[in-house]
Amino acid sequence: MAVVERTVGDTSFSDYAHDTARALTKVMVLHPIATGLAFISFVLALGAGFVGSFLAALGAFITFLVTAVVLITDFVSFSIVKSAVNDSTASVVASYGSAAWTTLVAAILSLLASVILLFTCCSARIHRRRESRYHDSKVTSASPNPRRRRWF
């Protein structure tokens, strides 16, 4: 806030806007936390099987929730600054940059990933059941048993 007030000539923030921006700045620590959660979800998604897919779907959904909180706080905090800068008489115009829109895309993709992983988790059991019925009708005594996929 102080940087904007020094840079843009007649910009001033109300006490409410200053306190809100200060509180929302503390929430910025969620950016690297969301990144770490996304990486953990990715590593869990590498494990094939029911448990790995379910844990990856759960992790991706938690990542979506954290990213949604980050998205909301980013837009609220930057809209406070944007409205103060645009209301000033200086010839400065503030607008949302690519970082805000990238956070929106990250939230959408996290939700999409959690839905896809959940469907993968649930559909694996259906495919396995269909495959076992097909193999049961074709199994002879000389055919080996198929290996079981594990989550790790």
Side-chain angles (χ1 to χ4, degrees):
M1 297 298 221
V3 173
V4 173
E5 287 176 344
R6 279 184 297 204
T7 307
V8 180
D10 60 343
T11 302
S12 64
F13 294 97
S14 66
D15 291 336
Y16 172 74
H18 186 69
D19 293 340
T20 303
R22 182 176 292 269
L24 290 175
T25 302
K26 294 177 183 174
V27 182
M28 296 290 180
V29 74
L30 289 177
H31 285 89
I33 290 173
T35 304
L37 286 172
F39 179 74
I40 290 170
S41 299
F42 169 72
V43 170
L44 287 173
L46 293 177
F50 177 75
V51 176
S53 295
F54 182 74
L55 289 176
L58 184 66
F61 186 71
I62 292 171
T63 302
F64 164 70
L65 292 177
V66 172
T67 308
V69 169
V70 165
L71 178 70
I72 290 168
T73 57
D74 281 354
F75 274 103
V76 168
S77 63
F78 293 131
S79 68
I80 292 171
V81 173
K82 180 179 173 261
S83 66
V85 168
N86 288 341
D87 290 344
S88 70
T89 58
S91 62
V92 179
V93 177
S95 63
Y96 293 111
S98 60
W101 302 118
T102 304
T103 308
L104 176 66
V105 170
I108 291 169
L109 290 178
S110 295
L111 179 63
L112 184 65
S114 65
V115 170
I116 289 172
L117 285 168
L118 189 63
F119 284 143
T120 302
C121 166
C122 296
S123 70
R125 295 179 78 185
I126 293 171
H127 290 297
R128 191 178 322 130
R129 201 175 312 150
R130 285 183 188 164
E131 186 176 298
S132 68
R133 274 192 235 149
Y134 176 74
H135 285 299
D136 287 344
S137 64
K138 300 278 184 178
V139 171
T140 63
S141 62
S143 66
N145 291 335
R147 284 182 32 156
R148 184 174 175 171
R149 289 179 77 179
R150 303 205 184 266
W151 68 274
F152 54 89

